[in-house]
Amino acid sequence: MIGLGTYAFLWEHSDRAPQPLSLVGAFERTRELGVDLFQICDYAPLELMDDVELDDAAAAARDLGLTIEVGTKGVAPERLTRFLELAAVFDARLVRSMIYAPDSRPTLAQAEAWLRGILPAYEAAGVSLALETYEQVSTADLTRLIATIGSPALGVCLDPANVVARLELPRETVELAAPYVTNIHVKDFAFARQPGWVGFTFTGTRMGEGLHDYPHLLETVRPREREVNERKVNEREVNEIVEHWLPWQGDAETTVRTEREWTRATLEYLRST
C-alpha cells in the first residue's frame, strides 16, 4: 500500500502554521487524497493523549477506512511495550522505530538483548517491528543485528536519505537492506551549494527531481510483492510511506502550500510506477 505519514504534514502539524492540523485532520486529508494508509510516526501529541482521546482517534481512522501504522524511537523494553499497546488501539500491524532514542543509546549487544526480550510479544500479536536505516547506526550493523536475531517480526524501515550523513551511498543501502525491508519511507533528496560556494545543504526535493533512484529501489526491494525475499520476513505487502524533508519556505502559507504540492506530486509519482 501507498500511505502518508505525519512527516508529510510536518509544517502543517507544527505551531508555525496559523491553524495547526490535528491528527484526525491528517486522517481526513489522507482520505481526501484517495489514500488508505497513514503512519503516525514520531508524533509527540500521540503520547500525551489519554485513553478516551486515543479511542476517539482510532475510531475516526476506522470510520474513514484507514489502515494505521505507528512509529517511535528507541528499543528500550518499556518503549516498545507501550507502542505495542498503541498498535492494539489502532489495529496497527507495524511499529516503526530506531535503535537509538533521545534518552537511550544502547550498544548493539544491549539492543539485541532488549529486542530478543520483546519480540515474542510482537510475534504473538502479529505486529512487525521495523527499525529504520539512519546515520547513527551503520546499515551493515543494523542488518547484521536483524539477521542475528532472526525473528519474523523484525525488519527494516528503509530510508536511503538518512544514511548519507554517515557517507553511505543510498543505492548500496537499498541493496544491503533489501532482504529485510518491511516498510519504506519515500522522499526525494538532493545537495545544493550554499551561498558563496562554501559547502552544501542536503535537503528534500519534489519527488522525481532529486538524486533518489526510486526505480532501482522498486526493482531491488520489490515492495509491491507479498513475498519480498527468500526469508519471507513479512508476507504482507511492504508499505511505502510518503514523507518530506521540506525546508521552511519563508512563511507559513507558502510552506504549507508547497508541502501539499509535494505530497500530491509524490502520490502521482508512486501511482505511475
Side-chain angles (χ1 to χ4, degrees):
M1 297 175 67
I2 294 169
L4 301 182
T6 42
Y7 280 106
F9 299 94
L10 175 67
W11 293 116
E12 198 165 1
H13 276 310
S14 78
D15 58 9
R16 298 182 76 170
Q19 295 180 314
L21 189 68
S22 68
L23 181 59
V24 172
F27 291 168
E28 293 168 345
R29 187 74 53 74
T30 298
R31 206 70 193 92
E32 290 168 2
L33 290 167
V35 177
D36 300 326
L37 171 68
F38 190 87
Q39 186 176 93
I40 311 169
C41 190
D42 300 344
Y43 181 70
L46 182 68
E47 296 188 68
L48 301 177
M49 293 180 179
D50 60 29
D51 290 345
V52 172
E53 291 171 320
L54 288 169
D55 288 341
D56 287 347
R62 285 192 294 271
D63 290 345
L64 290 165
L66 292 180
T67 297
I68 299 296
E69 298 174 345
V70 295
T72 186
K73 294 178 180 177
V75 293
E78 61 275 14
R79 163 87 11 200
L80 293 183
T81 297
R82 176 55 180 156
F83 269 78
L84 186 58
E85 293 169 350
L86 290 172
V89 172
F90 286 94
D91 298 321
R93 301 266 66 85
L94 183 135
V95 173
R96 166 274 195 192
S97 196
M98 300 175 171
I99 292 178
Y100 291 168
D103 59 351
S104 174
R105 294 177 64 88
T107 64
L108 290 174
Q110 180 65 78
E112 179 181 344
W114 283 346
L115 288 165
R116 287 188 184 278
I118 193 63
L119 281 167
Y122 274 71
E123 294 171 9
V127 175
S128 295
L129 175 63
L131 300 179
E132 188 163 347
T133 56
Y134 68 120
E135 72 279 3
Q136 292 180 309
V137 175
S138 73
T139 305
D141 283 343
L142 179 66
T143 54
R144 189 179 303 114
L145 174 67
I146 291 168
T148 297
I149 293 172
S151 168
L154 182 63
V156 166
C157 174
L158 177 59
D159 189 330
N162 292 335
V163 303
V164 174
R166 65 176 298 120
L167 301 183
E168 292 187 17
L169 296 176
R171 282 177 63 98
E172 292 181 2
T173 291
V174 167
E175 292 166 2
L176 186 58
Y180 310 99
V181 173
T182 55
N183 199 243
I184 297 170
H185 281 174
V186 182
K187 59 177 173 287
D188 210 343
F189 45 85
F191 289 93
R193 277 282 187 181
Q194 288 274 44
W197 287 61
V198 286
F200 296 88
T201 57
F202 181 61
T203 64
T205 66
R206 186 183 176 96
M207 190 67 184
E209 297 180 1
L211 298 173
H212 193 1
D213 188 352
Y214 205 73
H216 169 260
L217 184 151
L218 290 177
E219 179 182 352
T220 305
V221 180
R222 295 180 289 138
R224 298 168 190 181
E225 301 176 28
R226 285 192 167 272
E227 294 180 2
V228 298
N229 57 71
E230 293 177 358
R231 284 184 64 236
K232 299 182 182 179
V233 175
N234 185 344
E235 293 186 357
R236 294 186 300 276
E237 294 170 343
V238 176
N239 294 330
E240 300 164 79
I241 306 298
V242 174
E243 61 177 45
H244 310 304
W245 275 354
L246 172 67
W248 182 253
Q249 299 295 293
D251 62 81
E253 181 181 357
T254 303
T255 303
V256 170
R257 182 176 67 250
T258 304
E259 191 171 62
R260 292 178 180 180
E261 290 172 354
W262 280 22
T263 296
R264 285 190 291 269
T266 306
L267 290 173
E268 290 170 4
Y269 181 95
L270 293 176
R271 288 164 174 163
S272 69
T273 54

